[in-house]
Amino acid sequence: MQLALIVVWIGSAILLIASHFVDADVKDGFRGYKVYRLTIQSQRQLDLINRISEDVDQKGLTDEVDVWTELPRVFSPQRRNSFTALILLSPEKQAAFLETFDSESISHEVTIPDLAVAIEEESRFSLEDTRAVENGGMTWTAYHRYSTMVSWMDSLRSRYPDLVNEKVMIGKTYEGRNMYLLKVGKPRADGKMKPGIYMDANIHAREWIAGATLTFMVNKMVTEYETNSTARRMMNEIDWYIVPSANPDGYEYSHAAPNNRLWRKTRRVNPFSTDTGCDANRNFDFKWMVAGAVQTPRENTYAGAFPYSEIENVHVTEALLALVPQVKGMLSFHSAAQMWLLPWAYGYERSEDYDELMRVGRAATDALTAVYGIPYEVGTAPDILYRAAGGTLDWAKAKAGAKYSYTPELRDLGFGFVLPPNQIIPSGLETFEAVNVIAQAIFEEFGPTLN
Ligand code: 0X9
Ligand code: ZN
């Protein structure tokens, strides 16, 4: 009896999805699309949302229905503070899905009433933003294009030549854009090697707050060197290596038209498929494809046909390998789960440094939360999220000797990936405090010089 009920229930969930998809193209820049926050209170409810998420991904229908929040498989409130999920619904899908949620007693509230409007507002430039760009600068009150980030690196280097040591071209993207590694820090008078921290952002194209937060923090460290003792210590004690965008093609694509706003992957044309791109955060050669990744090019977690199929990952990898053994920390910024993730992400094994990474991660997020009260969870990806192999997080720890390897998942606040630009500075200020804690931990552990 019970089994029959479950079969009927799963069947109807699939039917609900299947029967409603006719045309999966985004229409009119997400006009009338809404984002809802669902509150999940049982394993059964979690199963339903995970099932919807998987089903739309497999069918390539995420332009109509998309679960934005990455959810664990197991409902364990003692492990995770909140079981809420953001879901995007096109106008055609709203009625049927809300009916299902109601019948399953999943409570829901609208967080974005019209995604098209949110995207328009998010993309708005003030006069100051426009003027800054025209003058080769950048602001943190708008989300900027990749070329603006590159100009910002150049301008920072020319204004602070003692602190911005190098801007190295590390290679070209699939579409031919230059990728850069910026090195900042106050060189030691004795020329000895300081511990290094590598940071990148936007390996996932749509997570715009990641690159904005990273450039904000770097800008702050450099421009406030003389006036801010925290910035000065960070610059004196650590050499910082920064790739502001680890997936510039995807990032630019997500900016190019409102319909592209939710693009996550790279932009490589796959040889045996009409589906473009691969999840670059599944493409590194460590435990590749072991878990949380697929071989279906259409899906958002497509790991590529083989490790390093993506040239951008090759460049990041070679840049980081050239910094061994200096780099002791790696921060690859994502959004939007408000989590500070640590290795291993591929499976449930504990790394030998698990306790230290937890301790330092907790201290970092405590400092972050102290600024504006934004809660963050700390843990391995499988413990608080899900397994995901082939990401920067695991690779940097296993292969590049970055002991303190983390994937910070920045602010969400119910907006998911479309976080209003007035959140950039608060996100930058709070994340800066967390990064400072990690820098201090690395400085204390490895000392002022490595040789
Ligand atoms: O799934 C991901 O790649 C990350 N979450 S996101 O919502 N930003 O897509 C989490 C990745 C954690 N694991 C690894 N870095 N491998
Ligand atoms: Zn991401």
Side-chain angles (χ1 to χ4, degrees):
M1 176 61 190
Q2 236 183 349
L3 183 71
L5 266 178
I6 291 169
V7 169
V8 169
W9 165 71
I10 291 177
S12 62
I14 295 169
L15 251 177
L16 171 78
I17 298 160
S19 62
H20 286 275
F21 292 110
V22 188
D23 168 15
D25 282 339
V26 176
K27 287 169 237 73
D28 195 19
F30 297 97
R31 188 78 46 204
Y33 282 60
K34 290 185 197 295
V35 176
Y36 301 83
R37 187 196 275 129
L38 311 176
T39 305
I40 296 165
Q41 286 164 311
S42 68
Q43 184 65 50
R44 176 186 160 103
Q45 293 178 346
L46 182 62
D47 287 345
L48 174 67
I49 306 305
N50 272 325
R51 173 136 214 125
I52 291 173
S53 177
E54 254 164 49
D55 211 58
V56 292
D57 209 3
Q58 279 163 13
K59 296 197 169 84
L61 301 171
T62 49
D63 286 344
E64 295 284 293
V65 174
D66 196 6
V67 179
W68 277 9
T69 311
E70 307 295 344
L71 289 164
R73 305 273 120 196
V74 182
F75 185 73
S76 51
Q78 67 281 7
R79 243 187 187 170
R80 202 179 144 114
N81 300 333
S82 91
F83 273 86
T84 58
L86 297 181
I87 186 167
L88 171 71
L89 296 176
S90 72
E92 294 76 20
K93 303 300 171 281
Q94 287 160 14
F97 276 81
L98 292 185
E99 205 173 292
T100 304
F101 299 148
D102 286 337
S103 71
E104 290 294 326
S105 305
I106 298 174
S107 64
H108 48 84
E109 55 176 329
V110 172
T111 60
I112 301 183
D114 187 336
L115 185 56
V117 174
I119 291 173
E120 277 155 23
E121 281 171 3
E122 181 199 35
S123 305
R124 204 166 286 153
F125 272 50
S126 71
L127 210 59
E128 291 93 274
D129 298 322
T130 310
R131 213 170 278 150
V133 173
E134 283 167 3
N135 296 330
M138 191 160 77
T139 62
W140 287 271
T141 44
Y143 290 109
H144 291 283
R145 303 298 288 254
Y146 182 62
S147 60
T148 305
M149 291 189 184
V150 174
S151 308
W152 161 78
M153 288 190 258
D154 289 331
S155 119
L156 205 61
R157 182 154 157 69
S158 66
R159 284 184 292 145
Y160 299 89
D162 310 343
L163 301 175
V164 184
N165 319 125
E166 274 176 76
K167 172 178 165 258
V168 187
M169 213 282 265
I170 58 171
K172 283 193 183 295
T173 66
Y174 175 78
E175 290 179 346
R177 295 184 176 84
N178 288 342
M179 291 176 75
Y180 295 101
L181 178 79
L182 192 71
K183 179 185 176 191
V184 309
K186 179 78 177 173
R188 286 177 59 91
D190 61 11
K192 286 188 175 163
M193 189 192 274
K194 295 145 67 183
I197 297 180
Y198 167 93
M199 304 195 282
D200 71 21
N202 281 121
I203 192 166
H204 286 152
R206 63 188 173 184
E207 298 165 9
W208 289 3
I209 189 62
T213 299
L214 176 56
T215 52
F216 175 90
M217 294 188 295
V218 173
N219 198 69
K220 187 177 173 70
M221 279 198 288
V222 172
T223 61
E224 295 183 6
Y225 181 80
E226 299 292 345
T227 55
N228 175 334
S229 59
T230 305
R232 187 157 56 245
R233 211 177 50 217
M234 289 164 87
M235 294 285 285
N236 283 343
E237 294 177 351
I238 302 286
D239 277 336
W240 300 86
Y241 297 92
I242 295 108
V243 175
S245 175
N247 174 15
D249 293 351
Y251 183 73
E252 277 300 294
Y253 183 75
S254 74
H255 271 270
N259 279 8
N260 304 348
R261 178 61 188 85
L262 296 178
W263 189 258
R264 166 183 168 105
K265 299 188 280 183
T266 58
R267 290 298 301 162
R268 193 165 86 99
V269 177
N270 290 312
F272 305 109
S273 161
T274 53
D275 297 293
T276 305
C278 136
D279 185 346
N281 206 35
R282 300 290 185 278
N283 193 239
F284 288 94
D285 192 10
F286 175 70
K287 307 271 181 191
W288 182 77
M289 276 301 296
V290 160
V294 299
Q295 276 300 291
T296 331
R298 165 199 288 171
E299 292 191 51
N300 254 340
T301 53
Y302 176 49
F306 49 89
Y308 294 123
S309 59
E310 306 312 287
I311 190 69
E312 297 81 4
N313 286 46
V314 173
H315 299 327
V316 165
T317 291
E318 285 177 352
L320 238 163
L321 285 179
L323 300 171
V324 177
Q326 190 192 6
V327 163
K328 303 299 181 193
M330 193 294 298
L331 299 166
S332 186
F333 290 92
H334 287 246
S335 72
Q338 290 171 207
M339 288 175 177
W340 207 269
L341 299 172
L342 48 105
W344 303 115
Y346 71 84
Y348 291 94
E349 285 85 355
R350 291 276 180 252
S351 81
E352 54 182 14
D353 314 308
Y354 172 80
D355 291 338
E356 283 165 277
L357 266 75
M358 279 298 282
R359 182 178 51 76
V360 172
R362 284 213 179 98
T365 52
D366 285 348
L368 185 156
T369 303
V371 182
Y372 296 108
I374 306 290
Y376 267 62
E377 286 170 73
V378 183
T380 70
D383 278 355
I384 58 173
L385 202 56
Y386 45 71
R387 287 179 293 163
T392 325
L393 179 70
D394 285 0
W395 179 84
K397 182 164 183 61
K399 302 284 182 87
K403 174 174 173 180
Y404 291 93
S405 182
Y406 295 101
T407 291
E409 290 264 355
L410 303 179
R411 279 182 181 218
D412 163 16
L413 305 179
F415 296 104
F417 309 114
V418 188
L419 192 70
N422 63 11
Q423 298 296 309
I424 299 172
I425 293 173
S427 168
L429 289 171
E430 68 191 7
T431 313
F432 183 81
E433 296 304 320
V435 172
N436 175 44
V437 167
I438 289 173
Q440 294 319 304
I442 287 176
F443 181 75
E444 273 157 35
E445 180 168 334
F446 296 98
T449 62
L450 296 176
N451 39 15

